[in-house]
Amino acid sequence: MGSTCCKSGPDKDALEKEKLKWLREKRLRARVKAAGKIQAWWRGTLVRRALLVAALTAWMIQIWWRTRLWRRVLKRRQDLLKIYVIQEEAAVKLQSWVRMWQCHRRYCHMCNALCVLQVPGGCFAFQTHDVLQEQYEVTPSHPEFHIEILSV
Protein backbone atom coordinates (compact mmCIF):
# COMPACT_ATOMS: atom_id res chain seq x y z
CA MET A 1 0.00 0.00 0.00
CA GLY A 2 2.56 2.48 0.96
CA SER A 3 4.63 1.93 -2.11
CA THR A 4 2.05 3.16 -4.61
CA CYS A 5 0.90 6.30 -2.89
CA CYS A 6 4.15 7.86 -1.76
CA LYS A 7 6.65 7.05 -4.41
CA SER A 8 9.68 9.20 -4.11
CA GLY A 9 11.91 7.59 -6.56
CA PRO A 10 13.33 8.48 -9.90
CA ASP A 11 9.88 8.85 -11.52
CA LYS A 12 8.84 11.66 -9.22
CA ASP A 13 12.16 13.47 -9.70
CA ALA A 14 11.90 13.08 -13.44
CA LEU A 15 8.35 14.47 -13.41
CA GLU A 16 9.43 17.45 -11.34
CA LYS A 17 12.45 18.07 -13.58
CA GLU A 18 10.24 17.92 -16.63
CA LYS A 19 7.75 20.28 -15.00
CA LEU A 20 10.56 22.69 -14.12
CA LYS A 21 11.94 22.42 -17.63
CA TRP A 22 8.49 23.14 -19.06
CA LEU A 23 8.12 26.18 -16.71
CA ARG A 24 11.56 27.47 -17.72
CA GLU A 25 10.68 27.11 -21.40
CA LYS A 26 7.36 28.87 -20.79
CA ARG A 27 9.16 31.74 -19.02
CA LEU A 28 11.76 31.87 -21.80
CA ARG A 29 9.01 32.03 -24.46
CA ALA A 30 7.28 34.79 -22.47
CA ARG A 31 10.55 36.70 -22.17
CA VAL A 32 11.31 36.27 -25.90
CA LYS A 33 7.78 37.43 -26.73
CA ALA A 34 8.15 40.44 -24.38
CA ALA A 35 11.61 41.20 -25.84
CA GLY A 36 10.09 41.04 -29.35
CA LYS A 37 7.37 43.49 -28.33
CA ILE A 38 9.95 45.85 -26.77
CA GLN A 39 12.16 45.63 -29.86
CA ALA A 40 9.17 46.27 -32.16
CA TRP A 41 8.18 49.29 -30.04
CA TRP A 42 11.77 50.61 -30.12
CA ARG A 43 12.07 50.12 -33.90
CA GLY A 44 8.74 51.94 -34.35
CA THR A 45 10.01 54.76 -32.14
CA LEU A 46 13.19 55.03 -34.19
CA VAL A 47 11.23 55.02 -37.46
CA ARG A 48 8.80 57.66 -36.17
CA ARG A 49 11.74 59.76 -34.96
CA ALA A 50 13.46 59.45 -38.34
CA LEU A 51 10.20 60.38 -40.10
CA LEU A 52 9.76 63.35 -37.77
CA VAL A 53 13.32 64.52 -38.49
CA ALA A 54 12.73 64.09 -42.23
CA ALA A 55 9.42 65.97 -42.05
CA LEU A 56 10.98 68.81 -40.01
CA THR A 57 13.91 69.00 -42.42
CA ALA A 58 11.55 69.12 -45.41
CA TRP A 59 9.51 71.82 -43.65
CA MET A 60 12.64 73.88 -42.98
CA ILE A 61 13.71 73.53 -46.61
CA GLN A 62 10.25 74.63 -47.75
CA ILE A 63 10.39 77.67 -45.47
CA TRP A 64 13.87 78.52 -46.76
CA TRP A 65 12.73 78.17 -50.38
CA ARG A 66 9.58 80.27 -49.86
CA THR A 67 11.67 82.95 -48.14
CA ARG A 68 14.13 82.85 -51.04
CA LEU A 69 11.30 83.22 -53.57
CA TRP A 70 9.74 86.06 -51.55
CA ARG A 71 13.08 87.88 -51.38
CA ARG A 72 13.52 87.42 -55.13
CA VAL A 73 10.03 88.87 -55.76
CA LEU A 74 10.74 91.74 -53.35
CA LYS A 75 14.08 92.48 -55.04
CA ARG A 76 12.39 92.41 -58.45
CA ARG A 77 9.76 94.88 -57.20
CA GLN A 78 12.46 97.16 -55.80
CA ASP A 79 14.42 96.99 -59.07
CA LEU A 80 11.29 97.84 -61.06
CA LEU A 81 10.54 100.69 -58.67
CA LYS A 82 14.11 102.01 -59.08
CA ILE A 83 13.77 101.83 -62.87
CA TYR A 84 10.42 103.62 -62.66
CA VAL A 85 11.90 106.37 -60.46
CA ILE A 86 14.88 106.81 -62.82
CA GLN A 87 12.55 107.02 -65.82
CA GLU A 88 10.28 109.51 -64.06
CA GLU A 89 13.23 111.66 -63.00
CA ALA A 90 14.59 111.56 -66.55
CA ALA A 91 11.19 112.54 -67.96
CA VAL A 92 10.87 115.42 -65.48
CA LYS A 93 14.40 116.59 -66.29
CA LEU A 94 13.73 116.37 -70.03
CA GLN A 95 10.47 118.28 -69.64
CA SER A 96 12.31 120.88 -67.59
CA TRP A 97 14.98 121.27 -70.30
CA VAL A 98 12.34 121.58 -73.03
CA ARG A 99 10.44 124.20 -71.04
CA MET A 100 13.68 126.06 -70.33
CA TRP A 101 14.59 125.93 -74.04
CA GLN A 102 11.10 127.19 -74.97
CA CYS A 103 11.36 130.06 -72.46
CA HIS A 104 14.84 130.91 -73.73
CA ARG A 105 13.58 130.90 -77.32
CA ARG A 106 10.66 133.16 -76.40
CA TYR A 107 13.05 135.45 -74.56
CA CYS A 108 15.34 135.62 -77.60
CA HIS A 109 12.35 136.36 -79.85
CA MET A 110 11.27 139.13 -77.49
CA CYS A 111 14.78 140.58 -77.40
CA ASN A 112 14.96 140.48 -81.20
CA ALA A 113 11.53 142.11 -81.42
CA LEU A 114 12.63 144.86 -79.02
CA CYS A 115 15.78 145.43 -81.05
CA VAL A 116 13.74 145.79 -84.22
CA LEU A 117 11.43 148.29 -82.51
CA GLN A 118 14.29 150.34 -81.10
CA VAL A 119 16.59 152.73 -82.87
CA PRO A 120 18.96 150.92 -85.19
CA GLY A 121 22.54 150.83 -84.28
CA GLY A 122 22.56 149.35 -81.14
CA CYS A 123 21.00 146.61 -79.31
CA PHE A 124 23.75 144.12 -79.80
CA ALA A 125 27.38 144.64 -80.43
CA PHE A 126 29.24 141.53 -81.55
CA GLN A 127 32.92 140.93 -81.08
CA THR A 128 34.59 138.00 -82.71
CA HIS A 129 37.63 136.38 -81.24
CA ASP A 130 38.13 132.61 -81.18
CA VAL A 131 34.61 132.22 -79.86
CA LEU A 132 31.61 134.37 -80.71
CA GLN A 133 30.81 136.47 -77.66
CA GLU A 134 27.72 138.52 -77.17
CA GLN A 135 27.69 141.75 -75.25
CA TYR A 136 24.48 143.43 -74.40
CA GLU A 137 24.51 147.21 -74.30
CA VAL A 138 21.80 148.78 -72.23
CA THR A 139 21.56 152.52 -72.38
CA PRO A 140 19.09 154.67 -70.50
CA SER A 141 17.41 155.74 -73.72
CA HIS A 142 16.46 152.17 -74.56
CA PRO A 143 13.45 150.57 -72.92
CA GLU A 144 14.29 147.84 -70.40
CA PHE A 145 12.74 144.43 -70.70
CA HIS A 146 12.60 141.94 -67.82
CA ILE A 147 11.17 138.44 -67.89
CA GLU A 148 10.43 136.66 -64.66
CA ILE A 149 10.08 132.90 -64.98
CA LEU A 150 8.11 131.20 -62.25
CA SER A 151 8.00 127.45 -62.01
CA VAL A 152 4.60 125.96 -61.50
Side-chain angles (χ1 to χ4, degrees):
M1 263 202 222
S3 64
T4 53
C5 95
C6 292
K7 257 188 179 175
S8 67
D11 291 335
K12 191 174 182 187
D13 287 337
L15 283 175
E16 275 197 39
K17 283 181 181 179
E18 197 168 312
K19 191 175 180 182
L20 285 173
K21 183 180 176 184
W22 181 77
L23 282 175
R24 278 190 216 121
E25 287 176 3
K26 186 177 179 182
R27 284 185 194 149
L28 182 64
R29 281 191 302 263
R31 282 185 175 182
V32 167
K33 189 176 179 182
K37 286 184 179 183
I38 291 170
Q39 288 174 352
W41 170 81
W42 182 247
R43 282 192 302 268
T45 301
L46 291 177
V47 167
R48 283 187 294 276
R49 186 182 300 168
L51 289 175
L52 179 63
V53 167
L56 289 175
T57 304
W59 182 60
M60 289 172 58
I61 291 170
Q62 288 171 351
I63 289 174
W64 172 81
W65 182 247
R66 288 182 190 130
T67 303
R68 185 82 175 139
L69 286 178
W70 176 249
R71 286 183 183 162
R72 186 182 298 168
V73 167
L74 189 61
K75 185 173 182 344
R76 178 80 174 137
R77 283 182 187 168
Q78 288 174 344
D79 291 344
L80 289 174
L81 184 60
K82 286 177 185 176
I83 291 170
Y84 174 76
V85 166
I86 289 170
Q87 289 175 346
E88 286 296 312
E89 286 177 350
V92 167
K93 189 170 281 197
L94 186 61
Q95 289 170 357
S96 168
W97 288 345
V98 168
R99 288 187 186 117
M100 181 181 68
W101 176 76
Q102 288 173 342
C103 288
H104 180 72
R105 205 173 89 201
R106 285 187 201 119
Y107 173 77
C108 287
H109 284 296
M110 292 297 277
C111 284
N112 288 337
L114 283 175
C115 284
V116 169
L117 292 176
Q118 293 175 357
V119 179
C123 252
F124 297 103
F126 295 103
Q127 294 179 349
T128 56
H129 296 300
D130 293 330
V131 179
L132 179 65
Q133 297 177 352
E134 295 181 346
Q135 290 184 348
Y136 299 95
E137 291 181 16
V138 178
T139 59
S141 63
H142 294 101
E144 293 184 19
F145 180 70
H146 298 284
I147 294 179
E148 189 174 330
I149 300 173
L150 301 174
S151 62
V152 177

